[in-house]
Amino acid sequence: MSFVTLDMIKKYAIAIHGGAGTILRVNMNNEIEQKYKTALNESIMAGENILINSGLAIDAVEASIRSLENNPLFNAGKGSVFSYEGEHEMDASIMNGKDLMAGAVAGVKNVKNPITLAKSVMQYSNHVFIAGQGAEVFAKQLNIEMAPNEYFFEQMRYNQLIQAKSNNRVDLDHVDNKFENSEKKFGTVGAVALDIFGNLAAGTSTGGMTNKKHGRIGDTPIIGAGTYANNQTCAVSCTGHGEFFIRSVVAYDISCLIEYKGFSLKEACNLVVKDKLIKIGGEGGLIALDAKGNIELSFNSEGMYRASKIANENVYIGIYKD
Ligand code: ASP
């Protein structure tokens, strides 16, 4: 039997994102804004419910991401975008900061919650990263919930594919030219958490990019690019134009700046998001959390769907640049 003594009890913290991009107040109406806020709040609550009951950061990350994957507002799980072939190929990854264990899946179809499959790869396989059909076979072996194509069909996403094809463009989650400031969003979802035992964890899940080529994989399932967690440094989950995030090894870069250069979490995020990424044209953002419970919600785009909660404090929810 294991006891939790008082000196072991630290503050827990959690942060989530639902994608970044050209998210402008002028293009939003109250009803839609409220829907996003409700979804972000529900996701925070799903994770917090685990942390407040002395659960582990890795389980909180999974719970928060599942909540977003089940909501068609976001480009992950149910709301995943269409590929060029009119399919949904989803990517996800998760990492445990305590032992540096990680799991990832890429290009999976018909898996209701890819983050749960990524966690199962970490827990029940000898591998870190399984792609495509192999990952689907593994999911079926473990009785992970599958869903038919119709479950993932959202008319709005299909319209985005038609639009992207007509412009001969690989689009981010969403580009809407009906607005004066053409709207451009990445709707990937992610979570980072710190549990009362001092463990950090991070996870990210996405449908990728509209009209992407069959087999294209972004940063989301790549450990070190879209997701990273290490109890000694931080937990990071990214959203943005994946090709740039892969080339910049964004999540691990943040961790390295802390580990090798003694940067604070804020300094590391500022350098990577507001300087290094911008210089190579990488639009997007990330959420990061360190073992002291410091949270950074950093982006170089017009907005990022984001929320955070520290034990005994109020929930913070943000959409636009402040
Ligand atoms: N990073 C994701 C990708 O490139 C897209 C996103 O963040 O929405 O697949």
Side-chain angles (χ1 to χ4, degrees), residues 75 91 173 186-188 206 208-209 216 218-220 238-243:
N75 171 19
D91 304 334
D173 163 6
F186 315 85
T188 291
T206 191
M209 292 171 80
R216 178 266 184 189
D219 60 313
T220 301
C238 302
T239 173
H241 197 147
E243 280 69 10

Side-chain angles (χ1 to χ4, degrees), residues 38-52:
T38 303
L40 293 168
N41 193 48
E42 278 170 8
S43 168
I44 285 281
M45 278 166 46
E48 184 183 26
N49 193 31
I50 290 177
L51 298 171
I52 206 167

Side-chain angles (χ1 to χ4, degrees), residues 193-242:
L194 168 68
D195 64 33
I196 60 167
F197 310 104
N199 298 311
L200 290 166
T204 317
S205 179
T206 191
M209 292 171 80
T210 300
N211 200 21
K212 66 183 179 183
K213 287 223 157 43
H214 176 70
R216 178 266 184 189
I217 298 170
D219 60 313
T220 301
I222 299 180
I223 297 299
T227 302
Y228 191 73
N230 180 344
N231 280 6
Q232 307 310 316
T233 54
C234 60
V236 182
S237 168
C238 302
T239 173
H241 197 147

